[in-house]
Amino acid sequence: MEIRFQPALLQEVIDSFVEKTEREGDPTYYKEFHEHADPIYEKFMLEDREGEFKKLYQYLFGTWGFSDIIRDSFNEYPLLKDKVGIVLVKGVLKEDQEGVDILRKWGSVEQDLAKDFEAKGMKGVGIKLIPRRFYDPALTRYCRHELMHISDMLDPVFGYDPDTKVGQNSGEETLILQRYRVLWSVSVDSRLSAAGREPMLSKEDRFKEFRSWYRKIAPPQLKSVFEGLWQISYFTHSELIEMSTDTLRVMDRAVDVEGGEVPETENKVMLMPGFPCPLCRFPTYSWVEDMGTKLEPYVLDFIRENHPGWDIEYGGCDRCVEVYKLRADGVM
């Protein structure tokens, strides 16, 4: 497996690290950098200096241990090393641009190399990081976590399909994909913890993240559901999609736990934000729940007459409910 670092990233990491350590009172790296850099100005013409500085940055990046962070992360996944032919690491400006993914498009420099690896049935992995991440202790946890995602993606049993279509509209799609991300991360960190490795986030922090995306589940039930997810740990791509799309399928994973409650999911309907209203079929974020206590019986009967098969538990959006109240009263 070959790992290639973007030259601009190497320079940014070294320059910012030298500045940071000197500012914090440690001139060691500043002095070492200039011991190598100053002679370049003295010995080489202007047009030759760029190439010499590229060599210097590459040398220091390896000598100071930055490249080992990525290599050591792959060493934790021997099987992954056999499936990945090349890793391209590049810098980005913002944290929300960071990520680790299977390469789908190759740069012009790597095209010929890519063909060689693809002919052998191997994949390429792309890693995007902000430069300062390389001297952040959390980078090891981040890479370990992300590479388990990659390991899942290359596992035939997991059945990863990046082209899976979800949701009936953009709002619903966003909700499902965010929940998919959260559930998959719970699965990854629970497996890392079980293996005795430090996860990206603790179990407690993963629970907080999970709770923020499943607010409709009652707190005692939420605790039991999360514990079930954490104990099972491994889910396939299709199972994660199913749980992201249907909250009841997540609730089915609940287990008995102290202070928790296993929910009854049979014949239960969850009214999720962004899902279509059963009356108008348009996506809604404003559901009217507990309609049996909020609407008069004659209004409910009027809705049933116009929508055979509909019942209270299916709910409705606030606009439809208001319209049917007016119609039942003969106003419209």
Side-chain angles (χ1 to χ4, degrees), residues 101 104 153 159-165 237:
D101 204 352
R104 296 187 180 183
M153 293 164 72
Y160 182 69
D161 180 6
D163 299 317
T164 301
K165 302 299 182 183
H237 171 75

Side-chain angles (χ1 to χ4, degrees), residues 187-199 230-231 233:
S187 169
V188 167
D189 277 348
S190 66
R191 280 180 277 162
L192 289 173
S193 297
R197 298 174 182 173
E198 186 178 10
W230 190 266
Q231 290 181 15
S233 74

Side-chain angles (χ1 to χ4, degrees), residues 163-176:
D163 299 317
T164 301
K165 302 299 182 183
V166 296
Q168 300 182 31
N169 54 76
S170 59
E172 188 177 342
E173 178 185 34
T174 298
L175 174 66
I176 292 172

